[in-house]
Amino acid sequence: MPGVTGNMSLGNMFCSRCGDGFEPHEKIVNSNGELWHTQCFVCAQCFRPFPDGTFYEFEGRKYCEHDFHVLFAPCCGKCGEFVIGRVIKAMNANWHPRCFRCEMCSKELADLGFIRNQGRALCHECNAKAKAVGLGKYICHKCHGVIDDKPLRFRGEVYHPYHFNCTSCNVELNSDAREVKSRPGFTANDMNELYCLRCHDKMGIPICGACRRPIEERVVTALGKHWHVEHFVCAKCEKPFLGHRHYEKKGLAYCETHYHQLFGNLCFVCNQVVAGDVFTALNKAWCVHHFACSVCDQKMNQKTKFYECDLKPVCKKCYDKFPAELRRRLRKTHEATPKKAAV
């Protein structure tokens, strides 16, 4: 900050801006050995006095803080604010150190270094993960190396299996290892531990028939196997039964709708399972109250005579109203003989 001086000998002194001398007893500004009239000590850009005497100097010129930022200070590529002090130049932009972060894990990269990956700045660890994903592989959560074989999943992460040993027999594990959570009869030390397949099988923990993983909570027993609740699903629509009734056929389980659709009777009109009496006609099934003439919508029963027209039933009254030529062709095509619906 410059000093303001008064009451000094000014005979051989001149203003650094205008070159004029100073009046006796005139207040002058002394900045790093240079003297200025107070009215001359102003910003080189806006020609206004410096607020609180604070200025920035560049190439021999002095600027107020605002104009210096506008003219010379870079803007941060993330927050858009001026970068004062340390500037990180990367990815064709300028950054505050706190703003230049990994786009995957948000770690500050100013002192860690980074790798450019498809237009993103990534830390070395996240770059390895992104590279592995591109190859369809996993990154070990412990050594951060690419897992070329099957990974071992443990506590929500993936690892090289050889980083672990069986809790029971201490043998080096492979991808078949099982994670065991707390269960009745297990001690606290057994919580979330890994066991080889042999030791795991000795514990009698059921294995899901779908995912082949241990079932630690509720078990569904059906089709001669055990299942996770969310893995016991309809063989047709693959929706979990979640405690609802299922139907078994040839070693597979089906929901009610698809069981009847595949092996039972669905009404041709409402597409719902026919729960009571079934009308069978024209190679179709019908609810009793849905079997009706396709022309006049008159309800028909097992005693009503009907004719087939375009694979749909037509009552005799409507059939008789058809043009003679149409009735002749229908008789010729279908050998139309009055039929009764079967119940």
Side-chain angles (χ1 to χ4, degrees), residues 88 172 256 272:
I88 304 299
E172 184 179 289
E256 184 177 13
Q272 299 297 314

Side-chain angles (χ1 to χ4, degrees), residues 209-230:
C211 68
R212 306 305 302 166
R213 303 296 298 177
I215 304 175
E216 305 291 349
E217 299 175 352
R218 182 182 171 189
V219 180
V220 176
T221 302
L223 305 176
K225 298 179 182 179
H226 301 292
W227 314 80
H228 286 107
V229 174
E230 64 274 16

Side-chain angles (χ1 to χ4, degrees), residues 29-47:
V29 177
N30 185 340
S31 176
N32 296 325
E34 294 182 317
L35 303 179
W36 311 70
H37 293 108
T38 54
Q39 66 271 21
C40 291
F41 192 66
V42 294
C43 173
Q45 179 68 17
C46 66
F47 305 109

Side-chain angles (χ1 to χ4, degrees), residues 108-129:
E108 290 188 18
L109 299 174
D111 299 314
L112 290 178
F114 74 97
I115 296 176
R116 185 169 186 152
N117 184 308
Q118 297 182 349
R120 301 176 299 170
L122 303 180
C123 66
H124 292 275
E125 182 178 334
C126 289
N127 180 68
K129 290 181 179 179

Side-chain angles (χ1 to χ4, degrees), residues 181-244:
K181 299 179 182 179
S182 178
R183 291 170 55 84
F186 283 66
T187 65
N189 293 330
D190 292 322
M191 291 181 62
N192 294 315
E193 298 293 348
L194 287 169
Y195 293 83
C196 67
L197 191 59
R198 181 178 179 181
C199 291
H200 178 271
D201 289 345
K202 293 179 180 178
M203 298 177 181
I205 299 175
I207 299 297
C208 178
C211 68
R212 306 305 302 166
R213 303 296 298 177
I215 304 175
E216 305 291 349
E217 299 175 352
R218 182 182 171 189
V219 180
V220 176
T221 302
L223 305 176
K225 298 179 182 179
H226 301 292
W227 314 80
H228 286 107
V229 174
E230 64 274 16
H231 291 165
F232 185 54
V233 300
C234 172
K236 177 66 175 178
C237 64
E238 298 185 349
K239 293 182 179 179
F241 294 109
L242 301 177
H244 295 292

Side-chain angles (χ1 to χ4, degrees), residues 150-168:
K150 291 183 178 180
L152 173 61
R153 299 181 181 276
F154 182 46
R155 297 177 181 174
E157 303 291 348
V158 292
Y159 299 86
H160 289 108
Y162 54 73
H163 289 310
F164 300 92
N165 295 84
C166 175
T167 303
S168 179

